[in-house]
Amino acid sequence: MSSNSAERASDSERGTKTRAVSGKAMLTVVAVFTGISPYVADWNETHVLNPLWPPHAKFHNGQTMAMGTLLALATLYFVWRRRGDTRTNLYAATGFAGLYWVSQAAAILYPGAAYFDRPFDTPDMHVMGLPVQAVIEIVMLGLIAAAVALSRPALPPGRPVLPQGRPVLPQGRPDAG
């Protein structure tokens, strides 16, 4: 291999590592935000401290806040885990990172659900006509998607093929299909 080829390979390797670290940093930001934001948004008079809320509603709000914390911790664990398969760790991290935001996005679909209770539904709670929660969901899910695109380990150029033209499975067995 010529020194030019070695330099290009080294530059490519550095670029891959830089992208992977950038993706991990993005997932870390999502995890920290997921762990903290429910407490910032809900530990106040609109939710947990709202005297009009029945105890069972506060119970479920507590469940949601705790879930955000646990999903954040699971995301951080898999983002920075050094053992195991890189791709599997990435998929686990992005799965945990996305669960909170996908479940929040789906919450509006339940009967009687609203983004805000009437006294708190003010113009400052909307961005470009969207409720602030929807904007945050879009941003968080976008960051997760970008992190996957950056962090995803490169696939090999192609799977080996047997002379009969059937691809070889990772275990070395020909594909039955």
Side-chain angles (χ1 to χ4, degrees):
M1 187 189 307
S2 71
S3 66
N4 254 354
S5 297
E7 286 174 22
R8 280 194 301 269
S10 178
D11 287 346
S12 175
E13 205 171 284
R14 270 193 297 266
T16 300
K17 286 182 182 179
T18 300
R19 286 192 316 276
V21 170
S22 297
K24 286 181 173 193
M26 293 168 96
L27 285 171
T28 299
V29 167
V30 170
V32 170
F33 189 80
T34 301
I36 294 172
S37 65
Y39 294 92
V40 172
D42 293 355
W43 201 277
N44 57 46
E45 68 283 346
T46 66
H47 288 71
V48 173
L49 305 177
N50 187 337
L52 300 177
W53 269 34
H56 191 68
K58 292 180 182 190
F59 167 84
H60 281 293
N61 192 209
Q63 177 185 19
T64 301
M65 292 186 297
M67 186 181 304
T69 300
L70 294 171
L71 290 171
L73 291 172
T75 300
L76 290 171
Y77 174 78
F78 282 103
V79 164
W80 297 106
R81 182 177 185 213
R82 292 178 183 241
R83 293 179 18 194
D85 176 63
T86 305
R87 186 179 308 272
T88 302
N89 288 339
L90 173 65
Y91 291 158
T94 56
F96 285 121
L99 279 173
Y100 185 86
W101 302 106
V102 170
S103 65
Q104 180 173 296
I108 195 65
L109 302 175
Y110 287 86
Y115 284 107
F116 309 102
D117 291 326
R118 289 194 195 277
F120 306 108
D121 191 1
T122 58
D124 63 321
M125 297 304 289
H126 297 264
V127 177
M128 297 182 301
L130 293 172
V132 70
Q133 292 100 319
V135 173
I136 292 170
E137 292 156 11
I138 292 165
V139 169
M140 292 295 109
L141 292 170
L143 280 172
I144 293 167
V148 169
L150 288 171
S151 300
R152 193 167 151 219
L155 293 171
R159 287 178 36 188
V161 176
L162 293 176
Q164 300 91 347
R166 293 183 293 173
V168 176
L169 295 176
Q171 299 81 14
R173 294 176 284 149
D175 191 357

